[in-house]
Amino acid sequence: AESRFMARMSHEIRTPLAGLLGFLDVLGMNDLSEVQRGIYEAMASAGLLLKTVVNDILDSAKLQVGMLQLYPHRADLGSTINATAKIFQQLLVDKGLSCTQQICNSVNVEVVVDHVRVKQMLSNLLSNAIKFTQKGGITISATSVPMDEGSAGIRVEVRDTGIGIPPTKTSGLFKDFTQVDESVNRIYGGTGLGL
């Protein structure tokens, strides 16, 4: 029942959100002043983040009932990483943070991935990195790593200069409604969903 409710609610939210994002796209096609363009870009970025949250809710419902599917296909991982980082550009600028990308040449080609899921996971990691970093920056790296039977995998990492997590507290990272330090909620917000 909970999964059906979450799926239904995400669908109900998605419909007006699609209309809102469509109107934003139309607005962005007009001649805008520099200030107006900045406001439009911030609104578009926030709208995309909201769409990601709604999609995460639907995916959580699918995961609970074993219906989440992956759709691997050839995609340019470097472009996927770059496009995801651009969504957070205004947040980075607002906080005065840098964001660098280090993508090794063997990864900066077409690879077989579910690029929607890669973007989704990367968005969650970047969102947290920005939330918990007050100065310095964030680095996204993608490297090739050896796997079984001579094949190669890809490791994507997000590193930041934020507050960090003590090694003794990492065991609680993915537990529902748990935060490493409950006082963090008062400073940074969040509920510790363990996504």
Side-chain angles (χ1 to χ4, degrees):
E2 179 188 346
S3 296
R4 269 186 277 130
F5 171 77
M6 288 182 4
R8 189 169 290 132
M9 286 308 298
S10 69
H11 175 73
E12 293 299 324
I13 295 168
R14 237 181 197 176
T15 303
L17 181 59
L20 177 66
L21 292 175
F23 280 118
L24 273 174
D25 285 344
V26 171
L27 179 64
M29 291 182 223
N30 289 296
D31 289 331
L32 302 173
S33 71
E34 188 174 329
V35 171
Q36 290 170 328
R37 177 69 52 193
I39 293 168
Y40 156 75
E41 287 174 358
M43 289 173 64
S45 178
L48 289 173
L49 286 173
L50 181 57
K51 182 179 176 184
T52 300
V53 169
V54 171
N55 287 338
D56 286 350
I57 292 168
L58 182 58
D59 287 343
S60 177
K62 287 180 180 178
L63 191 60
Q64 286 181 11
V65 295
M67 298 291 289
L68 184 67
Q69 295 181 330
L70 297 178
Y71 297 99
H73 63 278
R74 296 193 74 74
D76 182 340
L77 186 61
S79 294
T80 300
I81 291 170
N82 190 44
T84 307
K86 280 185 180 178
I87 293 171
F88 294 89
Q89 189 60 42
Q90 192 59 48
L91 289 172
L92 290 161
V93 168
D94 291 347
K95 289 188 80 172
L97 301 174
S98 64
C99 183
T100 56
Q101 298 175 33
Q102 299 172 343
I103 302 168
C104 76
N105 289 337
S106 61
V107 173
N108 202 15
V109 294
E110 283 194 346
V111 293
V112 178
V113 295
D114 182 334
H115 89 99
V116 171
R117 299 290 173 227
V118 170
K119 202 170 182 180
Q120 186 177 38
M121 290 182 286
L122 189 55
S123 291
N124 286 332
L125 293 171
L126 279 171
S127 177
N128 278 338
I130 293 168
K131 182 194 304 189
F132 294 109
T133 303
Q134 297 306 312
K135 61 181 179 180
I138 296 162
T139 302
I140 307 165
S141 63
T143 55
S144 179
V145 293
M147 302 286 285
D148 295 337
E149 302 171 13
S151 62
I154 300 167
R155 173 180 288 140
V156 178
E157 294 179 344
V158 175
R159 294 181 175 261
D160 61 68
T161 57
I163 61 174
I165 301 170
T168 56
K169 302 279 190 172
T170 58
S171 63
L173 273 179
F174 297 103
K175 292 181 180 170
D176 292 344
F177 304 107
T178 302
Q179 290 188 328
V180 172
D181 178 356
E182 293 300 325
S183 67
V184 165
N185 187 351
R186 284 181 237 121
I187 300 167
Y188 299 101
T191 56
L193 289 176
L195 300 175

